[in-house]
Amino acid sequence: MKKKVVVGMSGGVDSSVAAYLLKKEGYQVIGVTMQIWQNPDQACRLEERGCCGLSAVEDARRVAAILDIPYYVMNFKDDFRKYVMDYFVNEYKNGRTPNPCIACNRYIKWEGLLGRSLDIGADYIATGHYARIVKLGNGRYAVKNSVTADKDQTYVLYNLTQDQLSHTLMPIGDYDKPTVRRIAEEAHLPVARKRDSEDICFIPDGDTGAFLDRQLGHEAPGEGDYVDASGNVLGRHRGITHYTIGQRKGLGIAAGRRIFVRQINPSTNEVVLGDNEDLFTDTLIASDLSYMSEERFSPERTYIGKIRYSDKGTPCRVSYEGDRIRVLFERKVRAVTPGQALVLYDGDYVAGGGVIEG
């Protein structure tokens, strides 16, 4: 019998082409859109963002009809609230800067969707990520860089488990974006020219601080002091949830020079400011470790470490400190941010990673 695969369809061109390619390869394809919006009003506000609003459902449904595949909408709004939105809010409340896409991938698109898909007899799930999954000579599965550096999404997949990877297909990892759009046009898919969705889909106006204030209500951190590294008060800030490491714009303080957020101290409700040079370091600590291409990081090996999605990567070495790792970079990196992910690469493969503590 044909292998059955559930494709997570966001209504965008990437997941639509993923479904098209898999059907072309002979898989029994089922399309699923994950309902994550919390109420109808939010769904309407997300309408133009391409991955979460009601238009995503209609676009995915149209594509499924053209491909002649079954299509369903599955409700994941409770899981999304718990594992993505609540996590996002709590991390900011604690002075950290989370990556909600990584949490969504791990707990919604994989633990959630994969679990339900296996329950209905599917062999795999598939997504429209620009990445490739390979089984290495050591028997482990790993995410491999896509063929296009511009769209590579391996960074946000570093914490997928071996079991999840063994049940996952990523068919567009072998293509660049122009080719994916051309495939969609040739297949007469109506989303061929649809714009890419944006990050943080549940904040449609892009105002993270205002969103956090609404979510936290009376628990939102109030105004506090801007201080320098010596503790000297420089001014007043709006609340620590409005800031992240390396931020320069929106500080609302005249210092006579370019100044940046250097540190956030939730225990004292202080935001530490400094010069650009203060943001550079050659080391960090990471916890909550995930392993992919290998079972444990090697202190003898040089990895390429990325500290944010847009990071090009820096050679580094790793040493263990209990259940955490210390990473020493060959050259200083800028704005190491607690709450973000450190992802280690061994060549083209994701070796694993962890959550930056500082």
Side-chain angles (χ1 to χ4, degrees), residues 30-219:
I30 300 171
V32 167
T33 296
M34 292 170 283
Q35 178 190 342
I36 61 174
W37 56 87
Q38 303 300 298
N39 51 58
D41 180 60
Q42 185 192 44
C44 292
R45 293 199 310 272
L46 295 171
E47 191 74 17
E48 297 303 320
R49 296 189 60 87
C51 66
C52 299
L54 294 173
S55 64
V57 173
E58 293 310 312
D59 287 341
R61 195 187 307 277
R62 286 194 297 158
V63 170
I66 291 171
L67 298 180
D68 192 25
I69 61 174
Y71 173 76
Y72 306 96
V73 177
M74 290 186 180
N75 187 336
F76 285 90
K77 68 178 183 179
D78 290 341
D79 285 345
F80 190 80
R81 160 63 69 178
K82 176 180 179 180
Y83 293 110
V84 181
M85 295 180 69
D86 288 351
Y87 147 79
F88 182 84
V89 171
N90 289 332
E91 284 285 89
Y92 263 102
K93 184 180 177 181
N94 291 319
R96 296 157 64 91
T97 304
N99 189 315
C101 294
I102 291 176
C104 184
N105 284 335
R106 173 67 183 272
Y107 296 108
I108 310 302
K109 294 179 181 176
W110 269 269
E111 288 194 12
L113 180 60
L114 177 58
R116 293 196 199 180
S117 299
L118 295 177
D119 287 344
I120 64 174
D123 301 285
Y124 303 100
I125 63 168
T127 69
H129 283 92
Y130 285 87
R132 294 173 284 184
I133 297 175
V134 296
K135 189 172 185 179
L136 302 175
N138 62 4
R140 294 183 65 84
Y141 289 89
V143 173
K144 182 180 180 182
N145 287 337
S146 71
V147 299
T148 170
D150 290 340
K151 287 292 182 179
D152 185 83
Q153 293 173 302
T154 54
Y155 175 86
V156 296
L157 302 170
Y158 83 93
N159 60 357
L160 299 185
T161 69
Q162 290 294 294
D163 182 64
Q164 290 167 346
L165 291 171
S166 71
H167 290 285
T168 301
L169 304 174
M170 295 181 182
I172 70 168
D174 290 319
Y175 303 93
D176 59 19
K177 188 76 176 196
T179 302
V180 167
R181 291 198 183 278
R182 186 174 69 250
I183 292 172
E185 288 180 336
E186 292 172 351
H188 306 292
L189 302 183
V191 295
R193 290 296 155 187
K194 186 175 180 178
R195 69 178 185 178
D196 291 343
S197 59
E198 302 173 32
D199 288 340
I200 315 186
C201 61
F202 53 90
I203 309 180
D205 62 3
D207 191 339
T208 300
F211 168 81
L212 293 167
D213 286 343
R214 290 194 301 270
Q215 295 296 310
L216 288 167
H218 69 276
E219 295 182 357

Side-chain angles (χ1 to χ4, degrees), residues 265-283:
N265 296 327
S267 61
T268 60
N269 196 29
E270 293 176 329
V271 174
V272 183
L273 303 181
D275 297 323
N276 187 55
E277 305 86 71
D278 299 326
L279 297 174
F280 287 85
T281 181
D282 62 0
T283 187

Side-chain angles (χ1 to χ4, degrees), residues 312-326:
K312 301 300 182 183
T314 305
C316 61
R317 303 291 285 269
V318 173
S319 60
Y320 279 87
E321 297 184 356
D323 59 355
R324 309 192 304 177
I325 56 173
R326 178 177 294 277

Side-chain angles (χ1 to χ4, degrees), residues 17-38:
V17 169
Y20 167 77
L21 291 172
L22 289 169
K23 182 174 183 183
K24 191 175 179 182
E25 290 177 23
Y27 287 92
Q28 183 181 346
V29 178
I30 300 171
V32 167
T33 296
M34 292 170 283
Q35 178 190 342
I36 61 174
W37 56 87
Q38 303 300 298

